[in-house]
Amino acid sequence: MQKYYGYRHIVPTHQGRGAENILSQILIKPGDYIPGNMYFTTTRLHQELAGGTFVDVIIDEAHDAQSLHPFKGNVDLQKLTDLIERVGAERIPYISVAGTVNMAGGQPISMANLRAVYQLAQTYGIRIILDATRAVENAYFIQQREEDYSNQAIATILHKFCSYTDGCTMSGKKDALVNIGGWLALNDYNLYEEARNLIVIYEGLHTYGGMAGRDMEAMARGIEESVQDDHIRARVGQVEYLGQKLLDWDIPIVVPIGGHAIYLDAKRFLPQIPQDQFPAQCLAAELYLEAGIRAMERGIVSAGRSKETGDNYYPELELVRLTIPRRVYTQAHMDLTAEAVEEVYYNRDRLRGLKMIYEPKYLRFFQARFELQ
Ligand SMILES: *Cc1c(COP(=O)(O)O)cnc(C)c1O
C-alpha cells in the first residue's frame, strides 16, 4: 500500500466501510459539512451518522447521462469555494474526493482538477481524503485522456494522484482484486494514532483489521497486479466492449463509458415509469428475470431520504449498473449480457413500475422489497 499509493500510515480494515466508519468518527463533528464529488452510499451514511452533512460539489455535467465531458468526476471549484465561504473552513473537516465516481457512471476526475482542489484546500487548511476504491481505473483514464500522462505508467500516475490527498479509504474488493479487505491511510501521525486505537474496537487488531492473514497476502498481491498497465487496459477494455455493443444498438447508457460498469439510463429506457415508481429498480428486476443477470439500482432507491426532512431524494440520474467483476467473465458473458439487455429493451413498453413494500432505515437499496404496481 505504501509503495503504490504512497501514504505514510496505514491501518487495515475488514472492508471499505470499516475505514469510512473510523475516518468519520475521527474527523467529523456534529454540524460539520463534507463536500465531495457526488455522494457514495456508505460514505455519505457514515458522514451523516457522525453528525455531518454531505454537500455535492461535482461539476454539473456529471448529473447529465449524455454529456461527453471526459472527466465528469471533476470537482466544481466554484461550488467548493462557495461552500467554504458560506460555512467557514473550520466547519469542513475534509473534502471527500472519489476516483472514478461510481454514482456518476464510473467517471474519472482529472489530475489537473485534483491538483487544483488540493491547492485550494491548502490555502484554507482543509484536508482531502480520497476514496481510492477505483483510483487505479481513474489513473487509466488520466493516461488515456489527459495531456502529459500518455507516456507514464499507471503506477506512476496513481502515486502522483494520491500525493494530492492527505489520506484515503479503500475497498480492496474493487481495484485490489480480492474477495474482502480494505484500509484507511493517513499521512498525519496523530490521526493515524487515533485510527489505530479505534480499529481495535471496531475491526480487529491494528495489524490485521478484521482480515485473515491469507486475505492480507492476497490483497498485497492484488495491489501489485492491479497497477500493471496490461491488466488495467484489459479490464477497462472489457467494460468498453459491452458498452460499445449497447451503443451500437442505440440502447441508452451513460456516456462516456466508465471504468468498472455500464450504466443503463433507466429514464430514457423506461420513460413511461415515473421516478417514484422506481424505473431503475424495475429494469434491474426485469434483467434478472430475463437472463439471471444481477444488476444494481443506482437511482432513487439508492439515493435514499434526506436526513433533515425524511423526504426522498430525486436524483437526476436514474441508472442500472451492470458492474463487471475483475477477471471473472469472458467475452461470451458480455455478449449474453448485451443480448439480454437488448431483449428487455425490445419489450420495454410492457414494463410497469414498482411499489416499495419494505424499506429498511439505512442503505435501503441493499434490503428493500418491491411489488409490481
Ligand atoms: C464498495 C465501495 C465502498 C465501500 O466498500 P466496502 O468494501 O463494500 O465496504 C466505498 N466506496 C466506493 C466507491 C465503493 O465502490
Side-chain angles (χ1 to χ4, degrees):
M1 296 162 194
Q2 281 168 333
K3 177 171 170 195
Y4 289 106
Y5 289 80
Y7 297 107
R8 247 170 260 150
H9 311 292
I10 315 257
V11 279
T13 59
H14 78 286
Q15 55 186 88
R17 69 200 74 180
E20 291 170 349
N21 172 37
I22 304 295
L23 177 81
S24 301
Q25 287 203 37
I26 291 174
L27 285 182
I28 301 171
K29 297 185 302 303
D32 281 351
Y33 293 86
I34 304 95
N37 55 347
M38 205 173 268
Y39 84 98
F40 185 72
T41 52
T42 56
T43 316
R44 184 180 66 190
L45 179 60
H46 280 298
Q47 291 163 352
E48 287 179 353
L49 289 174
T53 300
F54 174 81
V55 182
D56 187 9
V57 294
I58 203 165
I59 57 172
D60 288 340
E61 287 88 340
H63 295 278
D64 174 0
Q66 295 182 76
S67 159
L68 283 168
H69 193 294
F71 290 103
K72 284 161 91 173
N74 280 358
V75 171
D76 185 324
L77 294 171
Q78 193 56 50
K79 287 185 194 171
L80 179 58
T81 311
D82 289 349
L83 178 75
I84 299 171
E85 295 294 326
R86 182 163 64 81
V87 305
E90 64 289 347
R91 303 283 295 281
I92 301 178
Y94 65 95
I95 301 165
S96 182
V97 171
T100 63
V101 178
N102 198 353
M103 307 304 284
Q107 304 295 322
I109 166 172
S110 73
M111 189 78 86
N113 183 254
L114 182 60
R115 188 188 304 119
V117 175
Y118 185 60
Q119 282 160 357
L120 181 74
Q122 293 238 303
T123 63
Y124 287 99
I126 302 173
R127 288 186 191 84
I128 300 181
I129 302 292
L130 177 68
D131 184 334
T133 300
R134 297 188 179 86
V136 180
E137 287 167 358
N138 200 98
Y140 175 74
F141 286 114
I142 289 174
Q143 189 190 53
Q144 296 299 306
R145 297 179 185 171
E146 198 166 350
E147 245 180 290
D148 307 337
Y149 296 98
S150 58
N151 293 321
Q152 294 194 22
I154 292 297
T156 310
I157 297 172
L158 176 70
H159 202 279
K160 176 137 203 107
F161 189 74
C162 294
S163 75
Y164 295 125
T165 67
D166 302 285
C168 81
T169 56
M170 175 73 186
S171 171
K173 293 148 52 180
K174 323 292 174 52
D175 271 352
L177 293 158
V178 286
N179 300 314
I180 201 71
W183 72 79
L184 171 62
L186 293 160
N187 285 339
D188 181 307
Y189 184 81
N190 293 328
L191 290 178
Y192 161 65
E193 205 174 20
E194 268 184 72
R196 200 180 53 181
N197 198 213
L198 284 183
I199 287 291
V200 300
I201 310 173
Y202 293 102
E203 298 286 311
L205 205 61
H206 61 284
T207 52
Y208 66 87
M211 273 184 282
R214 59 171 179 262
D215 293 326
M216 298 181 74
E217 178 66 18
M219 193 155 69
R221 283 165 190 253
I223 293 167
E224 187 110 16
E225 291 177 20
S226 73
V227 299
Q228 305 304 314
D229 285 48
D230 287 348
H231 159 74
I232 195 70
R233 190 181 320 116
R235 188 283 186 283
V236 179
Q238 191 175 41
V239 177
E240 278 165 359
Y241 174 82
L242 174 60
Q244 198 52 54
K245 256 192 139 147
L246 297 177
L247 283 176
D248 289 346
W249 297 340
D250 290 328
I251 292 169
I253 66 172
V254 174
V255 285
I257 294 167
H260 65 292
I262 294 303
Y263 291 71
L264 305 175
D265 185 354
K267 270 194 181 165
R268 282 186 291 150
F269 204 115
L270 298 173
Q272 74 273 26
I273 302 180
Q275 197 169 18
D276 53 15
Q277 293 179 20
F278 315 113
Q281 189 70 50
C282 169
L283 180 51
E286 190 62 23
L287 265 176
Y288 184 74
L289 292 175
E290 172 67 32
I293 293 166
R294 293 179 303 147
M296 179 76 224
E297 195 267 4
R298 296 277 82 152
I300 185 169
V301 182
S302 295
R305 293 174 182 277
S306 157
K307 69 165 186 159
E308 265 89 40
T309 64
D311 294 340
N312 279 319
Y313 289 117
Y314 286 84
E316 270 307 304
L317 296 173
E318 180 71 23
L319 309 175
V320 172
R321 188 185 66 190
L322 298 167
T323 326
I324 318 294
R326 292 153 187 81
R327 292 182 177 158
V328 175
Y329 292 130
T330 63
Q331 183 166 325
H333 289 105
M334 296 301 110
D335 292 339
L336 180 120
T337 304
E339 283 157 24
V341 173
E342 192 198 22
E343 186 67 24
V344 173
Y345 191 58
Y346 186 74
N347 292 314
R348 64 193 182 278
D349 290 344
R350 61 174 177 73
L351 293 187
R352 285 177 291 142
L354 301 173
K355 202 165 55 217
M356 200 186 300
I357 54 167
Y358 168 67
E359 180 178 356
K361 187 163 169 209
Y362 300 121
L363 303 176
R364 63 186 183 182
F365 55 93
F366 279 132
Q367 293 170 315
R369 284 197 288 275
F370 300 86
E371 251 174 27
L372 279 174
Q373 274 281 347

